[in-house]
Amino acid sequence: MHPAPAHYPRPAPIDAYGNGGFRFADMSHRGSLIIVPSGIYAWDVAQIDEVTPASLEAVLREIAPPGFLLLGTGATHLFPSEPVRRMFAEAQVGLEPMTTGAACRTFNVLLAEHRDVSAALIAVD
């Protein structure tokens, strides 16, 4: 996330994903997304090896323990690097990697239940 990126001002259900982006709140976005309590932001990550502590640092500032982050890893279920896993463990924030499709579906269910949920979603084709 950048210091003052354009964003949608609150979390919203993901209506569709694929073709390199997402649809939400009657809008479309090309690329990956971060969804946190303050809103939905573009995320400059295209694959799992670009998920670094620096790429998720701002996310942790918005998630209070014992919160968690759904990490949509693309078309394949992969695990982020050890430094990323360690950063979340030290912050006492859960990190739940899964495919982007599974992360979108899980996010929508938890959001509909009015649960505190955050997600980092890598776009898929």
Side-chain angles (χ1 to χ4, degrees):
M1 289 183 350
H2 304 290
H7 75 285
Y8 186 74
R10 63 185 166 280
I14 300 298
D15 299 320
Y17 65 92
N19 296 320
F22 299 88
R23 288 197 50 77
F24 59 91
D26 294 325
M27 299 184 296
S28 63
H29 171 79
R30 190 143 180 82
S32 300
L33 293 176
I34 293 283
I35 307 171
V36 290
S38 65
I40 302 176
Y41 299 84
W43 189 31
D44 192 23
V45 166
Q47 54 193 20
I48 191 70
D49 63 351
E50 296 173 11
V51 176
T52 64
S55 75
L56 292 171
E57 184 177 10
V59 171
L60 274 181
R61 287 194 293 266
E62 291 209 38
I63 303 173
F68 63 95
L69 177 75
L70 300 172
L71 176 62
T73 61
T76 305
H77 179 219
L78 301 166
F79 290 93
S81 67
E82 173 59 30
V84 169
R85 294 191 312 264
R86 184 174 43 250
M87 178 177 81
F88 276 79
E90 288 172 359
Q92 298 179 338
V93 171
L95 181 63
E96 301 294 334
M98 58 190 75
T99 66
T100 293
C104 288
R105 292 186 296 275
T106 302
F107 175 83
N108 285 347
V109 167
L110 295 174
L111 188 65
E113 293 175 348
H114 305 288
R115 306 256 315 266
D116 291 331
V117 60
S118 296
L121 306 170
I122 296 175
V124 295
D125 288 326

